[in-house]
Amino acid sequence: MIENLTEVTPDTLASEVLKYKNQGYRLVGMTCTNKTEETVDLLYHLDRDLEMHTLRMEALRDAPVPSISGVYFCAMLPENEMRDQFALVFDGLVLDFNRTLLLDEEVTLEQVPLANNLKITKK
């Protein structure tokens, strides 16, 4: 079980992240994992004075995920990595590598490394 876990939705993510930033928390990492064929779990790990808080959001694979890179610019790296590895699309991503941060341009959606066993229908 994750201590200090707060469930968020795509609608509440930005306000929760901003609340933590205003309280002096830093973004220390983001985690993504496949949940079902249609959904992924996104975890946002925040720290202040060695006290870790995690925000958890279930997101639909076929819907754009809100980017938090407008609040924490450094989030653009893990968000681009998740775009490459899980075929997610982030709405409002401040710097979008268009699935070429880690992957070659020739890699198709059917070859996405961590989603290749799932049905990918996005274009």
Side-chain angles (χ1 to χ4, degrees):
M1 173 169 235
I2 300 174
E3 292 184 27
N4 299 322
L5 178 69
T6 303
E7 298 282 339
V8 295
T9 67
D11 292 333
T12 63
L13 176 65
S15 62
E16 281 295 313
V17 168
L18 187 57
K19 180 179 85 172
Y20 278 95
K21 182 172 184 176
N22 289 338
Q23 293 174 10
Y25 283 83
R26 62 191 179 100
L27 180 69
V28 295
M30 292 172 59
T31 307
C32 183
T33 185
N34 291 318
K35 190 168 184 179
T36 69
E37 276 190 12
E38 295 83 24
T39 62
V40 293
D41 267 346
L42 294 165
L43 300 171
Y44 301 83
H45 312 287
L46 304 136
D47 168 76
R48 181 183 72 188
D49 300 327
L50 301 177
E51 182 180 315
M52 184 76 74
H53 284 259
T54 300
L55 304 177
R56 180 189 166 274
M57 179 177 70
E58 183 176 337
L60 291 172
R61 203 177 277 288
D62 289 338
V65 177
S67 172
I68 64 165
S69 61
V71 177
Y72 288 107
F73 181 76
C74 62
M76 68 90 177
L77 286 171
E79 288 177 349
N80 271 288
E81 182 178 358
M82 290 174 199
R83 185 156 160 66
D84 287 0
Q85 301 297 316
F86 292 89
L88 296 178
V89 174
F90 287 87
D91 187 31
L93 185 58
V94 296
L95 183 57
D96 187 349
F97 285 86
N98 197 25
R99 292 189 47 250
T100 61
L101 177 69
L102 301 174
L103 301 176
D104 290 333
E105 291 180 10
E106 300 84 32
V107 175
T108 65
L109 282 175
E110 291 77 23
Q111 297 170 319
V112 172
L114 298 175
N116 62 3
N117 60 338
L118 303 172
K119 291 188 285 187
I120 303 297
T121 57
K122 286 192 247 178
K123 296 184 179 185

mmCIF file of all heavy atoms in Angstrom, residues 59-85:
data_model
loop_
_atom_site.group_PDB
_atom_site.id
_atom_site.type_symbol
_atom_site.label_atom_id
_atom_site.label_comp_id
_atom_site.label_asym_id
_atom_site.label_seq_id
_atom_site.Cartn_x
_atom_site.Cartn_y
_atom_site.Cartn_z
ATOM 1 N N ALA A 59 -6.437 6.653 -16.176
ATOM 2 C CA ALA A 59 -6.694 7.399 -17.404
ATOM 3 C C ALA A 59 -7.079 6.436 -18.522
ATOM 4 O O ALA A 59 -6.569 5.314 -18.592
ATOM 5 C CB ALA A 59 -5.457 8.188 -17.812
ATOM 6 N N LEU A 60 -7.963 6.896 -19.365
ATOM 7 C CA LEU A 60 -8.328 6.130 -20.549
ATOM 8 C C LEU A 60 -7.205 6.221 -21.572
ATOM 9 O O LEU A 60 -6.659 7.298 -21.812
ATOM 10 C CB LEU A 60 -9.625 6.668 -21.157
ATOM 11 C CG LEU A 60 -10.884 6.443 -20.340
ATOM 12 C CD1 LEU A 60 -12.056 7.189 -20.965
ATOM 13 C CD2 LEU A 60 -11.190 4.951 -20.224
ATOM 14 N N ARG A 61 -6.876 5.111 -22.164
ATOM 15 C CA ARG A 61 -5.804 5.044 -23.145
ATOM 16 C C ARG A 61 -6.143 5.849 -24.415
ATOM 17 O O ARG A 61 -5.267 6.398 -25.055
ATOM 18 C CB ARG A 61 -5.602 3.573 -23.507
ATOM 19 C CG ARG A 61 -4.299 3.212 -24.037
ATOM 20 C CD ARG A 61 -4.255 1.720 -24.269
ATOM 21 N NE ARG A 61 -3.947 0.978 -23.072
ATOM 22 C CZ ARG A 61 -2.758 0.943 -22.512
ATOM 23 N NH1 ARG A 61 -1.772 1.639 -23.014
ATOM 24 N NH2 ARG A 61 -2.541 0.227 -21.436
ATOM 25 N N ASP A 62 -7.435 5.909 -24.765
ATOM 26 C CA ASP A 62 -7.840 6.567 -26.003
ATOM 27 C C ASP A 62 -8.177 8.045 -25.841
ATOM 28 O O ASP A 62 -8.530 8.692 -26.813
ATOM 29 C CB ASP A 62 -9.054 5.847 -26.599
ATOM 30 C CG ASP A 62 -8.700 4.485 -27.157
ATOM 31 O OD1 ASP A 62 -7.514 4.264 -27.468
ATOM 32 O OD2 ASP A 62 -9.594 3.639 -27.275
ATOM 33 N N ALA A 63 -8.085 8.574 -24.631
ATOM 34 C CA ALA A 63 -8.395 9.986 -24.396
ATOM 35 C C ALA A 63 -7.110 10.728 -24.022
ATOM 36 O O ALA A 63 -6.235 10.163 -23.362
ATOM 37 C CB ALA A 63 -9.418 10.122 -23.270
ATOM 38 N N PRO A 64 -6.988 11.987 -24.427
ATOM 39 C CA PRO A 64 -5.804 12.743 -24.030
ATOM 40 C C PRO A 64 -5.719 12.871 -22.502
ATOM 41 O O PRO A 64 -6.722 13.067 -21.830
ATOM 42 C CB PRO A 64 -6.018 14.116 -24.666
ATOM 43 C CG PRO A 64 -6.984 13.879 -25.767
ATOM 44 C CD PRO A 64 -7.854 12.739 -25.319
ATOM 45 N N VAL A 65 -4.509 12.720 -21.993
ATOM 46 C CA VAL A 65 -4.244 12.859 -20.561
ATOM 47 C C VAL A 65 -3.783 14.297 -20.327
ATOM 48 O O VAL A 65 -2.954 14.801 -21.082
ATOM 49 C CB VAL A 65 -3.132 11.871 -20.128
ATOM 50 C CG1 VAL A 65 -2.776 12.041 -18.674
ATOM 51 C CG2 VAL A 65 -3.540 10.436 -20.436
ATOM 52 N N PRO A 66 -4.290 14.973 -19.299
ATOM 53 C CA PRO A 66 -3.816 16.335 -19.053
ATOM 54 C C PRO A 66 -2.335 16.328 -18.683
ATOM 55 O O PRO A 66 -1.897 15.541 -17.853
ATOM 56 C CB PRO A 66 -4.667 16.817 -17.878
ATOM 57 C CG PRO A 66 -5.640 15.753 -17.562
ATOM 58 C CD PRO A 66 -5.303 14.541 -18.353
ATOM 59 N N SER A 67 -1.588 17.210 -19.292
ATOM 60 C CA SER A 67 -0.170 17.352 -18.967
ATOM 61 C C SER A 67 -0.016 18.237 -17.740
ATOM 62 O O SER A 67 -0.766 19.194 -17.550
ATOM 63 C CB SER A 67 0.572 18.000 -20.139
ATOM 64 O OG SER A 67 1.898 18.300 -19.776
ATOM 65 N N ILE A 68 0.978 17.913 -16.915
ATOM 66 C CA ILE A 68 1.294 18.797 -15.780
ATOM 67 C C ILE A 68 2.579 19.581 -16.052
ATOM 68 O O ILE A 68 3.096 20.247 -15.178
ATOM 69 C CB ILE A 68 1.405 18.015 -14.449
ATOM 70 C CG1 ILE A 68 2.567 17.025 -14.476
ATOM 71 C CG2 ILE A 68 0.078 17.339 -14.118
ATOM 72 C CD1 ILE A 68 2.948 16.508 -13.099
ATOM 73 N N SER A 69 3.063 19.523 -17.300
ATOM 74 C CA SER A 69 4.312 20.202 -17.637
ATOM 75 C C SER A 69 4.186 21.727 -17.583
ATOM 76 O O SER A 69 5.198 22.418 -17.497
ATOM 77 C CB SER A 69 4.818 19.756 -19.009
ATOM 78 O OG SER A 69 3.884 20.075 -20.026
ATOM 79 N N GLY A 70 2.973 22.246 -17.589
ATOM 80 C CA GLY A 70 2.782 23.676 -17.402
ATOM 81 C C GLY A 70 3.003 24.110 -15.957
ATOM 82 O O GLY A 70 3.318 25.262 -15.682
ATOM 83 N N VAL A 71 2.887 23.166 -15.033
ATOM 84 C CA VAL A 71 3.139 23.432 -13.608
ATOM 85 C C VAL A 71 4.565 23.046 -13.252
ATOM 86 O O VAL A 71 5.305 23.814 -12.639
ATOM 87 C CB VAL A 71 2.129 22.670 -12.716
ATOM 88 C CG1 VAL A 71 2.420 22.891 -11.248
ATOM 89 C CG2 VAL A 71 0.697 23.063 -13.058
ATOM 90 N N TYR A 72 4.953 21.844 -13.610
ATOM 91 C CA TYR A 72 6.325 21.362 -13.418
ATOM 92 C C TYR A 72 6.896 21.102 -14.810
ATOM 93 O O TYR A 72 6.591 20.084 -15.430
ATOM 94 C CB TYR A 72 6.349 20.053 -12.621
ATOM 95 C CG TYR A 72 6.022 20.174 -11.160
ATOM 96 C CD1 TYR A 72 4.802 19.729 -10.667
ATOM 97 C CD2 TYR A 72 6.939 20.696 -10.257
ATOM 98 C CE1 TYR A 72 4.500 19.814 -9.320
ATOM 99 C CE2 TYR A 72 6.648 20.787 -8.906
ATOM 100 C CZ TYR A 72 5.431 20.343 -8.440
ATOM 101 O OH TYR A 72 5.138 20.431 -7.107
ATOM 102 N N PHE A 73 7.727 22.006 -15.304
ATOM 103 C CA PHE A 73 8.281 21.863 -16.655
ATOM 104 C C PHE A 73 8.979 20.519 -16.832
ATOM 105 O O PHE A 73 8.883 19.893 -17.886
ATOM 106 C CB PHE A 73 9.255 23.004 -16.958
ATOM 107 C CG PHE A 73 9.854 22.929 -18.338
ATOM 108 C CD1 PHE A 73 9.103 23.296 -19.451
ATOM 109 C CD2 PHE A 73 11.148 22.465 -18.530
ATOM 110 C CE1 PHE A 73 9.637 23.206 -20.732
ATOM 111 C CE2 PHE A 73 11.689 22.381 -19.808
ATOM 112 C CZ PHE A 73 10.937 22.751 -20.908
ATOM 113 N N CYS A 74 9.647 20.043 -15.782
ATOM 114 C CA CYS A 74 10.393 18.779 -15.866
ATOM 115 C C CYS A 74 9.489 17.586 -16.170
ATOM 116 O O CYS A 74 9.971 16.538 -16.609
ATOM 117 C CB CYS A 74 11.179 18.536 -14.583
ATOM 118 S SG CYS A 74 10.139 18.367 -13.107
ATOM 119 N N ALA A 75 8.186 17.723 -15.980
ATOM 120 C CA ALA A 75 7.259 16.623 -16.273
ATOM 121 C C ALA A 75 7.212 16.304 -17.754
ATOM 122 O O ALA A 75 6.780 15.218 -18.144
ATOM 123 C CB ALA A 75 5.855 16.961 -15.773
ATOM 124 N N MET A 76 7.715 17.220 -18.594
ATOM 125 C CA MET A 76 7.678 16.952 -20.036
ATOM 126 C C MET A 76 8.539 15.755 -20.406
ATOM 127 O O MET A 76 8.245 15.062 -21.374
ATOM 128 C CB MET A 76 8.044 18.193 -20.848
ATOM 129 C CG MET A 76 9.458 18.646 -20.734
ATOM 130 S SD MET A 76 10.462 17.856 -21.991
ATOM 131 C CE MET A 76 12.021 18.619 -21.686
ATOM 132 N N LEU A 77 9.565 15.449 -19.624
ATOM 133 C CA LEU A 77 10.388 14.272 -19.935
ATOM 134 C C LEU A 77 9.656 12.965 -19.669
ATOM 135 O O LEU A 77 9.534 12.127 -20.573
ATOM 136 C CB LEU A 77 11.721 14.333 -19.189
ATOM 137 C CG LEU A 77 12.715 15.342 -19.754
ATOM 138 C CD1 LEU A 77 13.920 15.487 -18.833
ATOM 139 C CD2 LEU A 77 13.150 14.941 -21.148
ATOM 140 N N PRO A 78 9.134 12.724 -18.448
ATOM 141 C CA PRO A 78 8.403 11.466 -18.265
ATOM 142 C C PRO A 78 7.117 11.400 -19.093
ATOM 143 O O PRO A 78 6.709 10.314 -19.520
ATOM 144 C CB PRO A 78 8.115 11.408 -16.763
ATOM 145 C CG PRO A 78 8.335 12.774 -16.245
ATOM 146 C CD PRO A 78 9.282 13.445 -17.181
ATOM 147 N N GLU A 79 6.482 12.533 -19.355
ATOM 148 C CA GLU A 79 5.281 12.498 -20.190
ATOM 149 C C GLU A 79 5.630 12.092 -21.623
ATOM 150 O O GLU A 79 4.914 11.295 -22.241
ATOM 151 C CB GLU A 79 4.556 13.843 -20.150
ATOM 152 C CG GLU A 79 3.880 14.082 -18.820
ATOM 153 C CD GLU A 79 3.200 15.427 -18.674
ATOM 154 O OE1 GLU A 79 3.398 16.316 -19.535
ATOM 155 O OE2 GLU A 79 2.461 15.603 -17.690
ATOM 156 N N ASN A 80 6.729 12.594 -22.155
ATOM 157 C CA ASN A 80 7.169 12.171 -23.485
ATOM 158 C C ASN A 80 7.588 10.706 -23.484
ATOM 159 O O ASN A 80 7.340 9.983 -24.448
ATOM 160 C CB ASN A 80 8.319 13.054 -23.988
ATOM 161 C CG ASN A 80 7.832 14.275 -24.727
ATOM 162 O OD1 ASN A 80 7.349 14.183 -25.844
ATOM 163 N ND2 ASN A 80 7.938 15.428 -24.084
ATOM 164 N N GLU A 81 8.213 10.261 -22.410
ATOM 165 C CA GLU A 81 8.586 8.853 -22.317
ATOM 166 C C GLU A 81 7.342 7.963 -22.310
ATOM 167 O O GLU A 81 7.296 6.930 -22.986
ATOM 168 C CB GLU A 81 9.410 8.610 -21.056
ATOM 169 C CG GLU A 81 9.879 7.192 -20.917
ATOM 170 C CD GLU A 81 10.737 6.966 -19.692
ATOM 171 O OE1 GLU A 81 11.026 7.909 -18.942
ATOM 172 O OE2 GLU A 81 11.110 5.796 -19.478
ATOM 173 N N MET A 82 6.306 8.372 -21.560
ATOM 174 C CA MET A 82 5.061 7.604 -21.535
ATOM 175 C C MET A 82 4.368 7.646 -22.893
ATOM 176 O O MET A 82 3.712 6.683 -23.293
ATOM 177 C CB MET A 82 4.129 8.140 -20.452
ATOM 178 C CG MET A 82 4.598 7.858 -19.059
ATOM 179 S SD MET A 82 3.519 8.673 -17.869
ATOM 180 C CE MET A 82 4.575 8.691 -16.430
ATOM 181 N N ARG A 83 4.531 8.735 -23.595
ATOM 182 C CA ARG A 83 3.986 8.842 -24.954
ATOM 183 C C ARG A 83 4.661 7.795 -25.848
ATOM 184 O O ARG A 83 4.007 7.108 -26.611
ATOM 185 C CB ARG A 83 4.231 10.255 -25.482
ATOM 186 C CG ARG A 83 3.625 10.549 -26.819
ATOM 187 C CD ARG A 83 3.417 12.048 -26.977
ATOM 188 N NE ARG A 83 3.281 12.503 -28.332
ATOM 189 C CZ ARG A 83 2.289 12.219 -29.157
ATOM 190 N NH1 ARG A 83 1.321 11.427 -28.758
ATOM 191 N NH2 ARG A 83 2.242 12.709 -30.380
ATOM 192 N N ASP A 84 5.990 7.670 -25.705
ATOM 193 C CA ASP A 84 6.741 6.676 -26.486
ATOM 194 C C ASP A 84 6.399 5.249 -26.080
ATOM 195 O O ASP A 84 6.187 4.385 -26.927
ATOM 196 C CB ASP A 84 8.249 6.861 -26.280
ATOM 197 C CG ASP A 84 8.819 8.086 -26.965
ATOM 198 O OD1 ASP A 84 8.063 8.817 -27.621
ATOM 199 O OD2 ASP A 84 10.038 8.308 -26.836
ATOM 200 N N GLN A 85 6.391 4.981 -24.797
ATOM 201 C CA GLN A 85 6.309 3.613 -24.301
ATOM 202 C C GLN A 85 4.882 3.070 -24.187
ATOM 203 O O GLN A 85 4.677 1.862 -24.272
ATOM 204 C CB GLN A 85 6.997 3.504 -22.940
ATOM 205 C CG GLN A 85 8.456 3.904 -22.953
ATOM 206 C CD GLN A 85 9.304 3.004 -23.826
ATOM 207 O OE1 GLN A 85 9.171 1.790 -23.790
ATOM 208 N NE2 GLN A 85 10.173 3.583 -24.631
#
